[in-house]
Amino acid sequence: MDYRKLGQEITELVGKKENIARLTHCATRLRFELHDISKAETEKLKALPGVITVVNNGGQYQVVVGNEVQQVYRVITQQMGSATRSADSKSNSGKNNGPKQKQSWISRFISVISTTFTPVIPAIIGAGMIKAILAVLVLTGLVTTESQNYYILNTIADAAFYFMPILLAYGASIKFETSPILAMTVAGVLLHPGWSALMAEGKDVFFIGVPVRLTDYAGSVLPIIIVVWLMSYIERFADRVSPSMIKFFTKPMIVLLITAPLALVAIGPFGTYLNDLVAMGAEAINARASWLIPLLMGTLQPFLIVTGTAWAMTPIATSQLTKNGYEMINGPGMLASNIAQGGATLAVALKTKNQKLKQLAASSGFTAVLGITEPSLYGVTLKLKKPLIAAMIGGGVAGIYAGLTGLVRYAFVSPGLAALPAFIGSNPMNIVHAIVTCMIAFIVTFALTWIIGFEDPVEDEEEGTTNVNDDKTLSGQPVQDNSPSTQSSTITNANVPSQNELRPLTIASPMQGELVHLDRVPDDVFSLGLLGKGAAIIPAKGELYAPIAGEVTAFMDSKHAVKLNGYDGEEVLIHIGVDTVNLKGRHFDSSIKVGDRVQRGDLLIRFDIDAIKAEGYEVITPIIIANSDRFSDIKLEKQNPVEVGATIIHLS
C-alpha cells in the first residue's frame, strides 16, 4: 500500500491540514478533531482504498484504516508540520493548547451529557435491574413491601439515583478536565445531611448576608454538571495564583471555598430550575398528547443513535425516575424501537440467501430484541435501508400504543425482552401494555420487512468468493488455483506448499477470562468484523500473554494494543479495552518494543483492570486475525471461561 498517497488523500478529504485542530491515533484508527467538520467529505473517505470506515463520535472524527494506522499517521503529521498534536501533547496544566473543533451548542451539549453519563451507566443499570428483580419478587409474593428484605434491597437500588450528583460529578470532571475528587466533594456538599437538616427546619438561610434557596439535590442532574464546568475554571485560577511551595494546600482550599458556596447560593438553584423546567415541559407534552413522545422515540431512535443524539433525553428520564419512581420519556419508545429493530433483522435473516448476512442478521436480531440494537442497526438495517424504514414505522406504531396506554418504565435498563421486569410496578396493567407494545413492534416490522423486501447482497460480489480453492492464502503463503477460469493467472512459486503440507493453525488465549464473540465488543469497528474475524475475552486478570510465536510488529505508546506477526503467516491484533487509548498508558505496564521476537505464552503487558474500569472504560479485549482474508476458515472455540494458553481460535 502507498501510505504516502493514502495519507495525502485523507488529509485532503478531511478539509486539508488547516482544518485539523488535533490528530491522535490508536491501534486501528486516526482520531481527528476538526475546526469545521462540515468540510470533511465522509463518503469519499469511506470509498478510499485502505480506509475501512469513518466514525463521527464523541467530538472525534475517526478514520479507521486498520493495522497500517501508524504509517498513515506519520505521513499526515509530516504534512501538518508544526501543527501536529500527538497523543501525549498537553501543556503542564493538562489542557489542550490546540484550537478546538467548532461545534453547535447542541453538539456540545450532547457531548457533555454523553461523556458525563458514560461512567455512570453501569451503576444506574445495575440499580435498575435490582429494581426489576424486586418488582418480580413482590409480584410473586416472595417479598412484601413491608419486609426488611424489601427495605434493604430497595435502599441498594435507590442509592445510585439518590447519589446521582456524586456519580455525575466524576463523569463531568473527565469531560471538563478538572479534579474528580474535588468535583465529587462539591457534590457531597449538596447532599450533606446538614443541608437536609436545614431544609427540614424550613427556616430562611443566609450565607454572608446572601439568601440561600433550600433545594433538594438528591437525584438531580443539571446542577452538578454546571457546577463542575464552573469549577474547571476556578481550579485553573487557583493553580495560577497559588505559590508553588504551598500549592498542595492552597489550591484545593481555594477551589472548595469558591465553588461550594457558589453551588449552594446560585448555580445549584439555577440548575435545579432548568432541570424542573425541562421536566415540566416533557410532562406537559405527555399530558396533552401522551402518544407523541413514544411515537417520536419509537420512530426516530435509530436516527438518534446514528447521530449520537440519543443521550439528549437521558437527564430528563433519570430525573423522572428519581422523583416519580417511573419515567415515560425514554423507556416506552425505546422498547418499541428495539423490538422493531429485532423484528426487521430477524426477517432479513429468514429471507436472505446470503449465508454471511443470514448469520449476522440472526445473531444481531436476537440481541436486538433483548435490548442491544447497535449490531443490528449498523450491521444490517442501516446498510439495507428498507428494513430500517420498516423498523422505524413499526417502532412508531408500537410507540403510539405505548403512549395511549400510559406505559412507563420503573427502572433504568436497556428496554427489551430481557428487561421486561423493569415495566412491572404499581399499575398491574403496565407489564401487559409493555408486552403488547413488543408484539405490535415485532409483528408490524417483520411483516413490513417481508413485504417490501430488500436488495439481497450477492455472496460472490460481497465477499469476492466463498470457494476455498480461489486465490486465498493458508499459513500466510499463496495457494495455487488450477480452476479452468483462472489457470492463465496461476501462481508458480517454488516455496508454495503442496496441499498435504498445509496444516491448521491455532491461536492461544492471551489472558484468563471469559471467551465471547466479537459482537459483544461495544465498538462497531470490532463487533462488525471490519478489522477482521476473531474473538474477545472479558479478562479476569490484568495480564496479557503472547497467543502465538512471532514478532512484535506494532505496539502503541499507550501500551493498550499490540500486533504480532506469526512465523506461519498469521497476524494477530490484540486491543485491551475500548477507547483505552485515551488513558495514554495509565494503568498499563510493558517493556516490549517493535521488533521483539516472542514465544507463545510470553508475558507482554500488565494492566490494572479495576483502575481502568474506575475511569469509565470497558476492559473487554478483542483478539483479531488481521489478515482473516488469507485463511479459508476461522473457527471460534465454544464460549466459556478460558485459561492462558488454551486454544480459542482455529485457522485453516
Side-chain angles (χ1 to χ4, degrees), residues 302 305-306 341 345 373-383 388:
I305 292 173
V306 171
Q341 276 291 322
T345 310
T373 60
E374 281 78 1
S376 168
L377 176 61
Y378 289 114
V380 181
T381 59
L382 190 61
K383 291 181 177 179
L388 178 60

Side-chain angles (χ1 to χ4, degrees), residues 448-470:
L448 278 175
T449 305
W450 197 271
I451 293 170
I452 65 177
F454 51 89
E455 187 175 344
D456 200 8
V458 179
E459 198 149 12
D460 286 342
E461 293 178 351
E462 180 189 39
E463 299 179 15
T465 180
T466 55
N467 190 329
V468 175
N469 291 325
D470 280 328

